[in-house]
Amino acid sequence: MFKEMRTPELGHPIHDYALGKLISASNLSGGYTNKNVYINTTAGEYVLRISHAARTKEEVVFEADVLKKLKQTPAGDFVVDIIETPDGSPFVIRNGHINTLFRFVKGEDFYNTWDRHNPDTHFIESLGKKCAILHRSLSNIDAPKATRESLPTRLRKYYLDLESLGLDMKPYHSLINLTEGSSLVHTDLRIRNFVVNTSEISTIIDFDDITYGNQLYDIAWIIKECFSLQQIGSQPTPVINIEATKLFLKWYQSNFEGKVNTEDIVRIMAIACLGTLHFLFFSASNSMTRERIEQLTSINLAQLDLFSKGDAIASAIVPV
């Protein structure tokens, strides 16, 4: 998880955020689009996020405002703490990149031990409960000060980019309408973005892509990312861990206090594949091997087709 920094140029965050004296610093592995640096100082432990060049000030202000408002809700106990500069700014700009500081939370190496075939049921319970509380809390906060491109708008841009590569996207275009909504949606709830201790989610991180849409997108993304059994043979055959998915939906539904539409969830899982494919074709070249990109591309193209016609899956995952 940690890679020691040989020449950390960390004088500016220490100064900008008044963090005391630097004790140590390390590069954090795992991020695909941003660079993350662990900083240990006399004032505490932090993570400095150096955003990719396309990140805008308005997007960071939107994220920071959501996180500050979430701290006043039931989700406040388990969402990441964003740190402001002494003059109240949620970011600083250095070398053309937006830098944002968060409080560091210790956790297990859960990503590398997660077993999709035999998942930890205690974690699934925590996942269902925490996601439901997060969604209820997001639905009850005031609108952020800044504006943000909505989830369906973002996905339609992905659709056009993928179509420009010659991929046949027409069968899936109408499914994007399912992501329309006025609720705040995290959009990237995956194993890497949960800090886990003894099978319990202690912190949810990585809110930098939060926006407006249908919260079922988060549910679809979790099932796709956490419970897909990605079998690779001569042709990829993606399947879902049905029992794990049903258990997750049971805990989510009982804590959200409302029924979930599994047919919409499965079709939105197809749309979630657009986001993954867009990343693989347009952003992954510097963070993954060519072999891994090709493998994940095959899986997601197969999932795209499977989930768009997923009536059988939708019936199978209805929680009891």
Side-chain angles (χ1 to χ4, degrees):
M1 188 175 184
F2 293 99
K3 295 181 181 178
E4 184 178 352
M5 296 185 70
R6 296 185 179 181
T7 57
E9 297 178 359
L10 294 172
H12 69 82
I14 298 298
H15 174 267
D16 292 335
Y17 288 94
L19 298 182
K21 292 183 180 180
L22 178 66
I23 297 172
S24 62
S26 309
N27 283 321
L28 286 168
S29 60
Y32 290 130
T33 55
N34 304 311
K35 179 180 179 181
N36 296 295
V37 181
Y38 165 77
I39 303 175
N40 185 15
T41 79
T42 53
E45 296 176 273
Y46 306 92
V47 174
L48 179 72
R49 184 185 71 202
I50 304 171
S51 295
H52 59 84
R55 182 70 64 200
T56 67
K57 296 178 188 177
E58 192 166 57
E59 288 171 340
V60 177
V61 169
F62 187 97
E63 172 193 12
D65 197 32
V66 169
L67 287 172
K68 285 171 66 176
K69 288 173 177 174
L70 277 176
K71 283 297 174 183
Q72 310 306 313
T73 72
D77 292 337
F78 58 83
V79 296
V80 65
D81 287 314
I82 190 167
I83 309 298
E84 294 183 335
T85 63
D87 64 1
S89 174
F91 64 86
V92 295
I93 298 178
R94 294 286 178 175
N95 301 320
H97 292 268
I98 297 175
N99 290 197
T100 317
L101 194 71
F102 302 90
R103 197 169 305 283
F104 175 75
V105 182
K106 289 184 173 71
E108 301 166 4
D109 187 13
F110 198 73
Y111 174 77
N112 288 319
T113 60
W114 175 246
D115 185 348
R116 296 165 183 264
H117 294 267
N118 298 291
D120 185 322
T121 56
H122 294 293
F123 170 77
I124 295 173
E125 178 181 345
S126 176
L127 180 63
K129 289 179 177 178
K130 293 286 172 67
C131 289
I133 295 169
L134 175 64
H135 280 170
R136 288 195 343 247
S137 297
L138 285 171
S139 297
N140 290 325
I141 67 173
D142 294 334
K145 297 171 186 175
T147 58
R148 189 82 196 260
E149 180 180 74
S150 71
L151 176 60
T153 300
R154 181 191 302 171
L155 290 168
R156 288 185 183 105
K157 288 182 178 179
Y158 291 170
Y159 171 92
L160 292 173
D161 285 342
L162 293 169
E163 198 173 49
S164 72
L165 299 177
L167 297 174
D168 182 12
M169 295 286 106
K170 287 186 178 63
Y172 316 108
H173 185 267
S174 62
L175 297 180
I176 295 176
N177 294 334
L178 294 173
T179 66
E180 294 278 1
S182 56
S183 299
L184 285 164
V185 188
H186 183 287
T187 76
D188 196 17
L189 293 173
R190 65 175 76 213
I191 294 292
R192 285 187 185 275
N193 291 333
F194 303 117
V195 179
V196 180
N197 288 287
T198 59
S199 301
E200 179 78 19
I201 295 172
S202 59
T203 310
I204 297 177
I205 64 173
D206 206 2
F207 283 74
D208 55 332
D209 283 330
I210 191 165
T211 187
Y212 288 108
N214 183 345
Q215 289 179 335
L216 286 184
Y217 185 87
D218 276 345
I219 305 306
W221 186 262
I222 287 169
I223 296 169
K224 175 187 175 303
E225 291 293 312
C226 300
F227 305 128
S228 292
L229 307 178
Q230 300 167 348
Q231 301 172 348
I232 302 297
S234 57
Q235 295 210 344
T237 309
V239 293
I240 296 295
N241 187 324
I242 297 296
E243 293 308 311
T245 300
K246 287 173 68 173
L247 184 59
F248 161 67
L249 290 175
K250 170 191 170 184
W251 284 112
Y252 177 86
Q253 186 170 275
S254 62
N255 286 271
F256 191 72
E257 300 170 357
K259 294 207 171 201
V260 293
N261 184 323
T262 57
E263 291 182 3
D264 280 355
I265 288 171
V266 175
R267 285 173 173 76
I268 292 173
M269 283 163 62
I271 294 307
C273 294
L274 294 185
T276 304
L277 287 168
H278 191 270
F279 168 76
L280 292 170
F281 281 112
F282 292 94
S283 304
S285 58
N286 294 324
S287 58
M288 289 184 181
T289 63
R290 193 69 201 159
E291 181 181 12
R292 182 59 174 159
I293 291 173
E294 290 175 356
Q295 181 188 60
L296 290 176
T297 299
S298 296
I299 289 169
N300 277 273
L301 285 171
Q303 287 179 333
L304 183 66
D305 182 58
L306 175 73
F307 298 148
S308 64
K309 299 173 285 195
D311 291 344
I313 296 175
S315 298
I317 64 174
V318 174
V320 178

